[in-house]
Amino acid sequence: MRTVCVVGAGMSTWGEVWRKSFRQLFVDAALEAIEKSGVDHLESLYIGCMSGGLFVHQEHLGSLMADYLGMAGIPATRVESACASGGLAVRSAYIEVASGMSDIVMASGVEKMTDCHGDDASAALATAADQEYEVFHGATFPGLYAMMAHAHMAKYGTTRQMLTAISVKNHFNGSMNPVAQYPFKVKPETVESSVMIADPLRILDCSPITDGAAAVILTTEEIAKKLGKPYIKIIGSGAATDTIQLAQRADMTTIKAATLAADRALRMAGKTLKDVNFAEVHDCFTIAELVILESIGLYAPGKAGAAILAGETALDGKFPINTSGGLKSKGHPVGATGVAQVVEVYKQLTGQAEGGRQLKSRPKIGMTQNMGGSGGSSVVHIMEVA
Amino acid sequence: MSQFSSRSWREYPQRYRGEASKFTKSGKTYYPPRTIDPETGDKEQTLVKLPDTGKVLTYTVIRVAPYQWGDNAPYGLAIVELTDGTRLMGQMADVNVDEIKIGMEVRVEFRRIQTEGHSGIISYGHKFTPKWW
């Protein structure tokens, strides 16, 4: 397989972007990525999107997005794996370049979630769970992660303060990210007095509903060099699935799909977590970030909470997590999230992270972990400076 | 979205009668029924009826509910392990939500679950109640 590089990244405005349509969000992110990469054409396009159909009654995204990017004619593929759609779009584009099938491919993600009523947006998100045996019984996504949180608290003594620390840290990082939906700091007492959604998770434990898009250009090392723009290498890609129902997992305090995807990506890269300097992980809920750090093997089961409280995952900690602000502060347009994680790693590894959140440690290797549903799927990428 | 009743009545055997797959090789039971044992790949199975008692493995209290249950919130939602080891999710009923605990013993009861979509099909299935007798 050929070496694949990321050269150029773009993001639309993220938030409740009422003035921008579904297609315009995509075009904004795609044009920025193209401009920053210096490429003059695309050979193929991947679009991660969880549910254009349910959020804005629009499918057939390959045609729509290629057309409005002024590139009707190129092959375009919409990729779906719930909230891991973006990560899987990056992986699909990676495979297409690595295989030699194409030389210049865009991986993008987009979701338009605020054109519909909140009830309908929640119902659309709930389709990432088992409709007949979870949603049928009144499960919501905060509810599913809340059940993981209670199980984790009972097994390991995980505390409210540990979850709070994750929200506070991610909002601190996000306060320096110009595209973040909620770019402000929060105090621990604000998190702990915010409204209860599904015990023990409060609103400030939950990622928001967001409109947004992100895009990156993937190409060969030869072309990346010629373009003369900052680029990084993707050295590992791993994806995995698990049961869609939380109830059917042997252990509800860990996410096996994340373990498998991380192991596969690291093995492919010929690295261990000791070689990795920082990561963007899928903090759709505070408890998710804690469980992921244990699932990918950064901490032993039950040990992540204390490390988070000790500041190990802070911007100036020994293994910074979610320097972008994560899903919690930056926002979570579900199909775009996995691509935006790669955008952040690209920025950090090329020294382009804005607002004072650039890691001072000169990181060499970064990781992204994207997740679908309550852990029914996960995609991990390992990237290295060129 | 409007839905045809076929989507509901197709599920009656498992939702109304608690039918589950018990696989021959592993002896494990899965709810809802499935064709293949995910652990062994075994396809040989018998349909069994789920036991009607178990204990709460984990739970939450849904305070912001989907619109179908807006009037019911707050309600307890639990993952229960039945006496034969089968696990399933369902709502807690006839209990003060503040009294739900991990390890709590429950009974599986047949209850009204919701009115689905614009078609208004009334669906029934299991809920868990505290086992106090």
Side-chain angles (χ1 to χ4, degrees):
Chain A
M1 290 206 302
R2 305 192 293 180
T3 300
V4 179
C5 299
V6 179
V7 54
M11 280 177 71
S12 71
T13 308
W14 280 29
E16 283 186 63
V17 192
W18 291 343
R19 290 182 185 278
K20 301 262 188 182
S21 65
F22 188 34
R23 67 191 73 177
Q24 191 62 46
L25 291 166
F26 163 80
V27 170
D28 286 356
L31 279 182
E32 188 190 348
I34 289 171
E35 193 182 307
K36 295 217 164 129
S37 69
V39 298
D40 59 3
H41 71 288
L42 298 179
E43 290 169 29
S44 175
L45 167 65
Y46 286 87
I47 305 143
C49 181
M50 175 180 165
S51 198
L54 291 173
F55 288 116
V56 287
H57 295 268
Q58 179 69 60
E59 306 287 14
H60 205 180
L61 304 189
S63 165
L64 176 73
M65 301 309 181
D67 179 11
Y68 276 78
L69 191 56
M71 293 193 185
I74 63 168
T77 308
R78 182 260 188 92
V79 178
E80 189 274 320
S81 186
C83 326
S85 301
L88 206 55
V90 172
R91 181 175 157 86
S92 304
Y94 171 84
I95 292 167
E96 185 161 334
V97 176
S99 70
M101 187 94 171
S102 300
D103 288 340
I104 303 173
V105 178
M106 175 181 285
S108 69
V110 60
E111 212 75 59
K112 179 73 184 167
M113 301 171 73
T114 72
D115 271 358
C116 62
H117 191 282
D119 281 350
D120 295 324
S122 295
L125 287 169
T127 62
D130 187 322
Q131 284 296 303
E132 308 292 0
Y133 291 91
E134 293 184 317
V135 182
F136 175 79
H137 288 286
T140 61
F141 263 94
L144 293 171
Y145 278 92
M147 285 193 272
M148 283 189 228
H150 269 155
H152 204 280
M153 287 168 159
K155 190 169 178 185
Y156 298 113
T158 300
T159 62
R160 170 71 256 173
Q161 288 72 19
M162 293 169 182
L163 302 184
T164 300
I166 293 167
S167 182
V168 170
K169 168 184 71 70
N170 290 351
H171 270 284
F172 175 80
N173 294 350
S175 71
M176 293 174 272
N177 187 344
V179 302
Q181 179 173 11
Y182 295 128
F184 50 74
K185 296 169 197 168
V186 296
K187 293 187 180 119
E189 54 269 33
T190 314
V191 176
E192 289 172 12
S193 61
S194 66
V195 65
M196 192 71 91
I197 303 295
D199 305 26
L201 300 181
R202 296 174 179 275
I203 189 82
L204 284 174
D205 288 303
C206 307
S207 58
I209 281 173
T210 311
D211 300 329
V216 289
I217 306 290
L218 271 51
T219 188
T220 64
E221 191 164 20
E222 192 188 351
I223 293 173
K225 266 184 196 155
K226 270 189 207 152
L227 289 167
K229 306 281 176 157
Y231 70 92
I232 60 170
K233 291 180 200 172
I234 299 181
I235 57 173
S237 176
T241 50
D242 195 5
T243 66
I244 190 165
Q245 278 181 48
L246 181 59
Q248 301 211 334
R249 303 202 192 131
D251 185 351
M252 290 176 286
T253 63
T254 186
I255 292 172
K256 195 171 153 195
T259 308
L260 291 172
D263 285 352
R264 287 168 188 166
L266 286 165
R267 201 180 324 132
M268 181 175 170
K271 305 283 181 191
T272 71
L273 268 182
K274 288 193 175 67
D275 303 313
V276 180
N277 307 122
F278 70 105
E280 287 285 299
V281 306
H282 198 96
D283 61 319
C284 47
F285 300 92
T286 49
I287 184 65
E289 178 165 321
L290 188 149
V291 169
I292 291 159
L293 298 188
E294 296 174 355
S295 303
I296 64 175
L298 187 61
Y299 295 106
K303 302 293 182 200
I308 292 161
L309 281 179
E312 290 186 14
T313 60
L315 203 59
D316 59 356
K318 66 176 189 187
F319 200 107
I321 297 291
N322 286 331
T323 57
S324 69
L327 285 54
K328 177 69 208 75
S329 165
K330 184 178 56 187
H332 183 26
V334 281
T337 284
V339 182
Q341 291 179 325
V342 173
V343 172
E344 179 68 10
V345 169
Y346 172 76
K347 286 187 176 177
Q348 289 288 356
L349 290 179
T350 55
Q352 300 184 78
E354 317 89 330
R357 72 181 198 284
Q358 175 65 47
L359 293 168
K360 312 263 185 301
S361 55
R362 293 181 172 267
K364 297 278 183 287
I365 297 181
M367 179 189 217
T368 57
Q369 182 275 335
N370 190 198
M371 191 152 65
S374 63
S377 61
S378 186
V379 184
V380 170
H381 284 103
I382 315 285
M383 285 153 277
E384 187 175 28
V385 290
Chain B
M1 209 193 322
S2 59
Q3 286 179 0
F4 289 127
S5 62
S6 50
R7 186 166 181 181
S8 284
W9 57 247
R10 189 185 301 132
E11 304 296 325
Y12 285 177
Q14 46 271 25
R15 282 189 185 157
Y16 284 26
R17 295 198 292 275
E19 285 184 4
S21 298
K22 182 169 183 171
F23 288 95
T24 310
K25 263 187 218 158
S26 67
K28 282 192 85 170
T29 305
Y30 289 91
Y31 179 85
R34 33 168 97 208
T35 309
I36 298 165
D37 183 338
E39 278 178 26
T40 63
D42 187 17
K43 289 181 188 164
E44 199 182 301
Q45 59 162 290
T46 46
L47 277 178
V48 295
K49 187 190 170 304
L50 289 176
D52 58 7
T53 55
K55 64 177 182 5
V56 171
L57 286 184
T58 188
Y59 73 97
T60 183
V61 179
I62 303 285
R63 301 198 185 257
V64 177
Y67 61 90
Q68 302 97 306
W69 287 283
D71 295 342
N72 293 32
Y75 57 83
L77 187 71
I79 291 175
V80 163
E81 186 170 273
L82 301 177
T83 47
D84 69 346
T86 315
R87 293 170 171 201
L88 66 171
M89 185 179 288
Q91 282 185 31
M92 298 288 297
D94 302 347
V95 63
N96 179 337
V97 293
D98 298 325
E99 287 167 10
I100 303 169
K101 284 186 179 59
I102 289 175
M104 188 174 191
E105 290 198 272
V106 296
R107 216 170 262 286
V108 184
E109 295 206 2
F110 184 70
R111 294 288 175 102
R112 184 178 188 274
I113 305 294
Q114 61 162 307
T115 306
E116 280 184 289
H118 298 307
S119 318
I121 297 166
I122 299 170
S123 310
Y124 298 86
H126 63 263
K127 284 192 185 179
F128 308 120
T129 59
K131 188 184 165 195
W132 53 271
W133 74 93

